[in-house]
Amino acid sequence: MARFQHTVTLAPVPRRWLESCLGMLHDLAEGTEADGALLRLPDGRLLPDLVLDQGRHLRPGARYRATGAEDGRPETDPTVTVLAWDRRRETAFEIVTQDDDPAHRARLVCVLGIRSVARPREAWLAATLRTSGGKGPRYLGGTGRLHLDLGDWWPSASGRGRPSRAPLSGTGTHALARATVTAVPRPAPDGRWRVTVKARLRGRSFARPLLPVVMAVVGRRAHRAFAEALDGAAEQWNAQVPGLVHKEGELLRAELARALLAP
């Protein structure tokens, strides 16, 4: 087993700001109307590159298809299916993207959910990649899951408590390895978040006895790459997040609307 640990400092995101964003996204979506397969905003403008493929708009089972694929083939366009739509209970979507090239077929299924939008308590992302065709397809696929306990994140980030388990946790499973990741925020002296990320990697199948040997050879480089990847992500976060959290009210709503209308 290989272990990694690194701490980064992040600009904070106020809980009320996140709740406001989620509420606005719900409001913007509920303000759209289905005109047959087309989706329109209240002012009559069409949402580009998105059509209602089946079901009733914003009801469980409603499926939407993106129509912006470069080759224009419907079978390669991503689809989004509503699994749940209730701001007080749960909102969840399934997003499917696939490549039907006979040489390397691939299907990526992601499920994104939050409970609840009115008072967010937890959010999760699950992903499954399946491949076929070509050589060694089983070694190209895998599964992953992330879970964020929003009820524990902000108290931990403010120093008001120490959660019994990490507020952010995830797993990734591959034919040859399984990884687990946790992240715990604590307050920095300047009011930002100091987030400690830990990861464990275990080999599977015939790779299990090989992992200690590999880590003995490339261990230092692997730890350095882990730290550099987190530092790079933190740099991007700190460059973009502060500007976003200072946008409130109608300015933030306009920004979200522009994002929806972008082709």
Side-chain angles (χ1 to χ4, degrees):
M1 181 174 66
R3 298 176 182 268
F4 304 86
Q5 179 174 325
H6 188 62
T7 299
V8 294
T9 302
L10 303 178
V13 174
R15 183 168 188 164
R16 289 186 178 180
W17 183 88
L18 176 65
E19 293 173 354
S20 176
C21 276
L22 293 172
M24 285 184 183
L25 285 171
H26 245 258
D27 291 342
L28 285 170
E30 290 173 353
T32 63
E33 295 182 354
D35 181 5
L38 303 178
L39 301 176
R40 295 184 182 275
L41 292 174
D43 61 9
R45 287 180 296 173
L46 288 174
L47 283 176
D49 301 334
L50 190 67
V51 295
L52 178 61
D53 212 30
Q54 70 175 31
R56 296 178 59 194
H57 184 42
L58 294 182
R59 295 291 187 272
R63 187 178 69 189
Y64 304 85
R65 177 168 53 85
T67 59
E70 292 182 1
D71 57 12
R73 292 184 300 161
E75 64 269 21
T76 65
D77 294 338
T79 62
V80 179
T81 301
V82 177
L83 302 179
W85 187 270
D86 187 327
R87 82 168 60 217
R88 292 187 177 183
R89 295 182 180 179
E90 180 179 312
T91 300
F93 304 92
E94 179 189 70
I95 305 167
V96 178
T97 306
Q98 61 185 38
D99 186 344
D100 291 330
D101 188 326
H104 47 75
R105 289 189 174 91
R107 178 181 173 87
L108 176 63
V109 179
C110 297
V111 175
L112 175 65
I114 186 164
R115 187 180 297 119
S116 67
V117 169
R119 184 63 176 173
R121 298 192 301 273
E122 62 177 326
W124 63 92
L125 170 65
T128 301
L129 176 63
R130 293 283 182 259
T131 59
S132 62
K135 297 181 179 180
R138 65 177 297 216
Y139 298 115
L140 299 178
T143 62
R145 182 175 177 86
L146 280 175
H147 178 267
L148 175 59
D149 189 325
L150 294 162
D152 282 343
W153 182 271
W154 274 274
S156 178
S158 64
R160 295 197 303 270
R162 290 186 176 274
S164 58
R165 58 182 180 180
L168 177 63
S169 60
T171 59
T173 304
H174 181 267
L176 300 180
R178 176 180 172 83
T180 59
V181 180
T182 62
V184 178
R186 300 300 295 168
D190 60 1
R192 293 187 294 173
W193 295 340
R194 285 183 57 79
V195 181
T196 298
V197 182
K198 297 180 181 180
R200 294 186 300 175
L201 182 65
R202 294 178 180 270
R204 301 182 69 205
S205 185
F206 64 82
R208 187 169 187 174
L210 297 178
L211 182 60
V213 178
V214 173
M215 290 304 300
V217 176
V218 302
R220 289 186 178 180
R221 280 182 288 175
H223 282 82
R224 185 166 58 249
F226 177 78
E228 289 176 351
L230 288 176
D231 286 340
E235 184 178 353
Q236 291 294 319
W237 175 283
N238 291 329
Q240 299 177 19
V241 167
L244 290 175
V245 299
H246 283 93
K247 294 178 180 178
E248 298 181 357
E250 290 305 315
L251 182 60
L252 180 59
R253 184 183 294 272
E255 196 79 19
L256 293 172
R258 279 196 295 271
L260 288 173
L261 287 168

